[in-house]
Amino acid sequence: MSLVVQDGQKLVDNPLRYDYERAYLAYQALEGTNGVGTGLEMITFLVIPLLFFVYGCGVAAGDARRRILKDRVVTQGATPYVVAKAAIVVAVSLAAVLVAATLSLAVAPIVRAAFLPSVDRSFPYPVATLAVGSPAVQIAFSASTAIMFGLLGLFVGLAARSMLIPSLAAGGLLMVAPFAGPYDPRNILTAAAEGVFNYWGGFSPRPPFPVQLELGLAAMAGGLLFVALVSVFVWSRMTKFV
């Protein structure tokens, strides 16, 4: 295809080229291990943050809601209690992402066989694309996102001793509120994911604001640590006799 820019407009001699490219990339999204990234990119930005924030809140507030907090703290000690809760969140987050990646890998060929049989013969010309994302890196990215929001929910839940209000607030911020700026954690994650996911399956997050990625990731880690210290400080001074 030849392309000429004239008076600010693109003139092409084969406009079906773009449809061909989109169809080719959609097919590649289900090819082999590409299915891992296709599945994870659809949940990493929409499902994982809110789901694991709510889960972390539930882990933190569960003992207080069941009125066994005093017994757990007396039996285990305050510090081991918090460390054990954090370890549970980390373990469940990692396991859940591994399960999601495995399901994505297993379902992709089934979907392709059901809806795209013999489509590979329809693509005689390869499409030059960016480098294929690494499934291991994609899993690590999604797992890190789940762990971060799970721990954030845990520490907020320790201080709030409630799931309802923190979860509603998180839902509004994550699903409704626009990006507050370059250093909004959602913007930082979106920018970091540009080098991880391919977005061949049609899903793509909103374009991120330009951000210094290393500084942004460091700010996120520092913010999580700050929330953890403040929440544990508040929790340690709250009565456990509930």
Side-chain angles (χ1 to χ4, degrees):
M1 179 191 75
S2 63
L3 185 149
V4 178
V5 178
Q6 180 178 338
D7 297 329
Q9 294 183 332
K10 291 182 178 180
L11 305 178
V12 299
D13 61 357
N14 184 8
L16 292 179
R17 157 76 179 269
Y18 297 114
D19 294 317
Y20 178 91
E21 288 182 345
R22 283 193 294 267
Y24 178 84
L25 294 179
Y27 178 79
Q28 289 298 316
L30 301 173
E31 177 73 16
T33 57
N34 294 344
V36 173
T38 301
L40 291 181
E41 69 192 21
M42 293 182 179
I43 64 173
T44 297
F45 304 97
L46 300 177
V47 178
I48 284 179
L50 182 58
L51 176 65
F52 283 93
F53 182 91
V54 172
Y55 171 71
C57 276
V59 171
D63 292 335
R65 187 173 62 253
R66 293 189 295 270
R67 299 186 180 279
I68 60 172
L69 177 61
K70 177 188 69 173
D71 298 332
R72 296 290 301 274
V73 172
V74 170
T75 302
Q76 296 179 233
T79 299
Y81 175 85
V82 175
V83 171
K85 292 288 186 182
I88 289 173
V89 170
V90 171
V92 170
S93 301
L94 180 58
V97 170
L98 288 173
V99 169
T102 302
L103 288 176
S104 299
L105 184 62
V107 168
I110 298 174
V111 172
R112 190 180 61 184
F115 298 100
L116 303 173
S118 304
V119 170
D120 55 325
R121 286 178 249 167
S122 302
F123 300 111
Y125 308 106
V127 175
T129 62
L130 298 176
V132 178
S134 166
V137 175
Q138 291 164 345
I139 291 172
F141 184 92
S142 297
S144 299
T145 302
I147 290 170
M148 185 191 73
F149 281 95
L151 290 177
L152 181 62
L154 172 72
F155 294 125
V156 171
L158 284 176
R161 286 190 179 175
S162 170
M163 286 181 60
L164 181 60
I165 295 177
S167 296
L168 289 175
L173 289 173
L174 292 171
M175 299 296 185
V176 179
F179 288 0
Y183 289 95
D184 185 316
R186 296 168 298 170
N187 184 72
I188 297 170
L189 287 175
T190 303
E194 288 188 330
V196 175
F197 294 110
N198 300 312
Y199 306 121
W200 288 346
F203 170 81
S204 180
R206 59 154 289 174
F209 294 115
V211 62
Q212 293 185 11
L213 199 53
E214 294 79 5
L215 179 60
L217 293 174
M220 285 178 59
L224 180 60
L225 179 60
F226 176 77
V227 171
L229 293 175
V230 171
S231 297
V232 171
F233 176 81
V234 172
W235 177 82
S236 66
R237 280 154 178 75
M238 296 171 67
T239 179
K240 310 303 184 294
F241 292 87
V242 295

